[in-house]
């Protein structure tokens, strides 16, 4: 196994670990999930560029008669990238004492203010940063508000 194959296998392992964490572990952390909201995808162009670059690497490896292991690893990496960027939907998980946004735990006590922008993005001001929550369906904003009111 070459260094390239080892790095690709390491990247695939990282994707698999993230998938297990995101789909199986995260919903069970910090108590039961009260509300699960689908969010809009961001960075579509960046993810498309990444997938196209992977496909170019795959084509180059096939054209130059590279090893079968590298070809298989690149195909698995392409599949994992398509799953991560295009199939999987980002989500907001609201729990009893806080929420998970971008796989990061945020306690409700850290939220100092909330505003709704004109284009339907919920802005939560924390101590030193802002969270921009762009939901897929505008009805989810009311559900988020009701869950926050119940929690406080």
């Amino acid at each position: 196994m070459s260094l390239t194959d080892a790095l690709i296998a390491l990247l695939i392992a990282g994707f698999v670990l993230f998938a297990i964490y995101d789909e199986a572990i995260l919903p069970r952390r910090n108590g039961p999930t009260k509300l699960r909201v689908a969010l809009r995808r961001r960075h579509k162009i960046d993810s498309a560029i990444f997938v196209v670059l992977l496909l170019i690497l795959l084509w180059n490896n096939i054209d130059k008669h590279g090893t079968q292991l590298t070809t298989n690893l690149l195909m698995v990496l392409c599949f994992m990238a398509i799953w991560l960027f295009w199939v999987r939907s980002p989500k907001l998980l609201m729990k009893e004492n806080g929420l998970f946004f971008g796989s990061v735990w945020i306690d409700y006590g850290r939220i100092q203010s909330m505003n709704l922008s004109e284009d339907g993005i919920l802005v939560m001001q924390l101590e030193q940063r802002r969270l921009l929550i762009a939901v897929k369906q505008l009805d989810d904003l009311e559900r988020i508000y009701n869950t926050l009111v119940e929690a406080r």
Side-chain angles (χ1 to χ4, degrees):
M1 178 183 269
S2 69
L3 179 63
T4 303
D5 293 340
L7 290 174
I8 295 172
L10 188 64
L11 193 57
I12 291 170
F15 275 146
V16 169
L17 289 174
F18 174 74
I20 292 170
Y21 175 75
D22 190 52
E23 297 296 329
I25 297 172
L26 195 63
R28 291 169 178 77
R29 285 188 61 200
N30 296 17
T33 302
K34 295 180 79 170
L35 180 64
R36 180 184 186 127
V37 177
L39 302 175
R40 280 190 271 171
R41 284 182 183 30
R42 297 184 299 184
H43 311 297
K44 288 183 180 181
I45 300 296
D46 295 337
S47 62
I49 291 170
F50 181 69
V51 170
V52 168
L53 287 174
L54 284 176
L55 291 173
I56 290 170
L57 283 174
L58 179 64
W59 177 258
N60 189 29
N61 188 55
I62 292 170
D63 189 47
K64 301 291 183 194
H65 303 291
T67 64
Q68 185 65 34
L69 177 63
T70 305
T71 302
N72 291 339
L73 287 172
L74 283 171
M75 286 190 315
V76 170
L77 187 60
C78 284
F79 170 75
M80 293 296 294
I82 289 170
W83 171 81
L84 180 66
F85 298 128
W86 295 95
V87 176
R88 177 190 148 270
S89 176
K91 59 191 166 291
L92 173 74
L93 298 175
M94 300 191 77
K95 306 285 186 158
E96 186 71 33
N97 298 320
L99 58 94
F100 279 106
F101 178 71
S103 300
V104 176
W105 174 256
I106 297 157
D107 193 54
Y108 290 141
R110 291 183 56 201
I111 300 173
Q112 296 178 348
S113 66
M114 289 192 314
N115 295 315
L116 186 61
S117 70
E118 294 175 1
D119 53 349
I121 295 177
L122 180 64
V123 180
M124 288 186 182
Q125 181 65 43
L126 303 179
E127 298 93 9
Q128 296 181 5
R129 64 181 266 208
R130 292 183 327 192
L131 300 178
L132 303 175
I133 300 173
V135 296
K136 278 188 178 177
Q137 299 176 356
L138 290 178
D139 296 339
D140 290 334
L141 291 171
E142 183 178 346
R143 294 173 45 209
I144 291 171
Y145 175 76
N146 291 337
T147 304
L148 285 170
V149 168
E150 288 174 14
R152 290 190 170 196

